[in-house]
Structure formats: C-alpha cells, structure tokens
Amino acid sequence: RGASLKVRIKPDKTIENDLFECRNGNCISYENVCNLADDCGDGSDEVGCANNFQCGTTSPHVSSSLLPSNFIPLSAVCDGKLDCEDGSDECNERCTSSIIQSRWLRGVTWVFGISATVINTYVLLRKGTMIKSSKGRSSLYNSIFVLVIAVGDLLTGIYLMGIAIADVINSDGYCRYRFHWLNSAWCMVLGVTASIGSLTSLFTMALLSSYRFYSIRHVFASRSVTRKSAACMIVTLVAMGTCVTVISFVPIMGRYENYFLNGIFYPGNLLFVGAPSKSQHIEVLEVYYGRLSSKNRLQWNAIRELVGGMFTHDTTGIHGNDMSFYGNAGVCVFKYFVTPNDPQHVFSLAVLTFNTILCGVVVMSYTGIYLLSRQTMGSLSSSRDSGARGSGLERKISLIILTDFLSWMPFIGLCVLHYLEVYDGTPHYELFSLLVLPVNSVINPIIYDDTIGSVVRWTRDKVVGVVSARVTTIQNELNMSRKESGMVEKEKSYTETTLK
C-alpha cells in the first residue's frame, strides 16, 4: 500500500504490526482500514482497497456530516442510483449512460414501436369503415372491441416510438441529465400514454373474451342490436375509460403527491444527492434542525418549507423539481415494482391485482371457448372443412392464451418477488416495458382481427399468381422452342431425303 508500519513493543517483548500509518503521519487501527470511512483524514486508509469506489470530488462548502462518504461500496457503482454528490459513481466508463441500456433492446424498441404504430393504424382505418356495415349484434360488438384494442395498442406503439426517439436525443449526456429527463413533462406524458395503452388493451381483451364466451353459451339468444344492448355497451365502454383514466392520471395529481411523489431533484445542489426520497430528506433535515416531531406524518409541502429555510435569503436559494410517479425509471413506466416502504405500494398492488384478474378472465374465457368448440365440432360431421376450421380455431385460441400468459404472468410474479424483497426487479423495467408487455401490441391485430391476415393472404396470392404466370410463360416459350426445333429437324430430314 506504500505506507510504513509503526510497531508497538509490549512488555513481553513481542512485536505486533497492529497499527496503520497514514500518509499524514497519523496512526489508526487496521480495523478502520478499508471500512468506507476516511479515518486518516487524508483518505489514505481507503486508497487501493478492493471493496470501495472513491468519488471524484467532495464539496468544500458543505459540512462533511451532511454529505455521503467520499468512498462508497463497489456494489453501489452503476446501480442506477447516485451515491456520490458529483455523480461519478454512475457517470464513468464502467456504466452505460443511455435511457435504453441494451443495444439489442434498443433495436427491438424501434421494430416494435414502428410495427405497432403502423399495423394498428391500418386496423383502425379499416375497422372504422367496417363498423358501419356490420350486420347483427355479435359482428358489431366484436368490431367495436377490436377497434378499442387497436387504440390501446396504438398508444403503446406511440410510447415505444417516444422512448426510442428520446434515447437517441439523450444518448450523449443522459448520465449527466438523467434526473432532468425523469422529471420532464415528456417522460410523464409517455408514462401516462403507456399506462392508458396497456390498461385499455388488457381491459378490452377481457371484455371481448367474456362476450365471445357468452355468445357461444347463448347461441340462440337475440342477435339484433336493441336499445338495451346498445346502452349496456356504451355504459361498459364509459366505465372502462373512466377506470383507465383514473388509474393513469391520479398518480400525477398534485393533491395526492404524498402518496405518489418519488422524490425531489435539486439541480446544482450538492447537499441533496440525486432525487432524495421523503425519508432521505428527513435524515438531512434532522441533522440541520434536530429531531423532528411527527416526522412520519410530515407532508411534502412542509419538507419544501424546511429545505428552503436551510438557505439564507442573500443567496439564490434552492429550487426543486418533483420526481413524478412515472419517473422511477428511465423508460418512464408505471411503478409496479414497489416494496412495503413505498407510500404508493397499496395503489400499485391494487392495480397489479386488477391486471391479474383481467388476464385470468382472458385465459379462462378462451379456455371455455376452446372446450365448447371441441364439443361442438365433435357433434358435427367430421368433414375435412369442419376439421380444418376446428384446428384453426384451436391454434388461434392457444396463441391467445400463450401470449397473454407469457406476457403478464412472469411480470406479475417478478412484482410479487420484489414486493416481498426476495428479488430486486427494478433492473428489469426495460425488458418488460419495451419487449415482454408490448409484444401483444404487435400480435393482437393478427389474433383478434383478420385484417392483417387478409392482407398477408392477398399479398401471398398476388405473389403466387405472378410467379405462376411467369412459370407458365416460360413453359410456353420452352414448348414453342421445342416445336420450332422439331419442325426444323423435320424440314432438314425432308430435304436430305429429297436430295438422295
């Protein structure tokens, strides 16, 4: 370590090297070496240790008792949380500084975003014109539900495109301006858009699957659109829209900030590192003001006043930016990964439970449709056409159940493990918000509507027709060539015979 050792000779004449000599001449016990604290006063007892990371700078204007140590555990480097007041633990060569950390996930985001936007826009345009020509209640309601699903999936595609564009714009300086991005209006709008899109899609899929199951069970019920059935549809859609809107917008309403505000970011202030939470604010405030009474019930407005009181009026004061509910991760998503210590954990768990129920409704409804369809197909004649239709229906239902299960069940399970503090799910926000959950936004138009399938079949028929026509032309040309060759051979043979 480049430092000498001072020895202490005990009465029994044994010599022990139990003291560490600092570069400034002080001596400390080896128990205080590499303990993430500057015990020497010059930091020499922490230099070269394998268990820590030394921050780039410390502030000479703020008392060291109010600042985090200049040395932090190595595990705190590149963990997405600022532990050094200068941000050097996150802004360095080891850490990836971008909204989307993975390169392949960045490509997937562009592909899914463009695909979901284009495909669902096409479905909306085509399905909107088909609703007017729908005959019967079943056809009309199915078209309406598919249309609403396309709206939700389109919003998800817009969210993915917004994140991909923001990732390109902030690629160079994201690490330095990360908190500016997290509390920006753009991030909040994208978070609300993603929440409305995913909830609308899942909610409508549950309604559509339930209605299809009901239609099969009551196949002889009235199929005409009545005032009662129309009113029921309107009330259902309004209730769904209200529920989705409340869930998505309540977390960003100022009157509920004590439940949903993640923290406050103070640009250019070294006293509050990153975006400290309410508990981290209280720790600093108690160092300055002393013990705070009723600190567990301290509101954010009171915290702002106390923080403002720490700075004299002859200075520029301090200005903080609120970290919204959707600013908990760079991809700006609903905060599903919560722990019992998070003030919004009840709300997030309630929404997660609601999503689980909706996913269960989809799976159970299509399982019931699958069983009823098999029973019906078995009672009909075993013709080739009915067998083909049955196989196609079974494949379609299996795909619906499989995609819903693989999209939501792993995510729900990870949320539960995170809440129980068994496993930290926050590093996986990107994977689930950009790949696993949005995959349905690309697949749904193919599963729930035959629009894309008809386009694919039309394209296939056109390609096959062009290829077949070209092959036929080539065959005809070959046949003509062969005939001409045969005629030439006959003429040649005739000429030779005549000459002889």
Side-chain angles (χ1 to χ4, degrees), residues 397-415:
I397 292 175
S398 299
L399 184 60
I400 291 173
I401 295 175
L402 183 64
T403 53
D404 287 335
F405 183 85
L406 293 181
S407 295
W408 281 99
M409 288 302 130
F411 178 70
I412 293 170
L414 186 59
C415 290

Side-chain angles (χ1 to χ4, degrees), residues 477-490:
E477 291 176 353
L478 289 174
N479 291 333
M480 290 294 296
S481 177
R482 289 171 183 171
K483 288 182 180 180
E484 292 176 356
S485 299
M487 293 178 64
V488 170
E489 290 294 333
K490 287 182 180 180

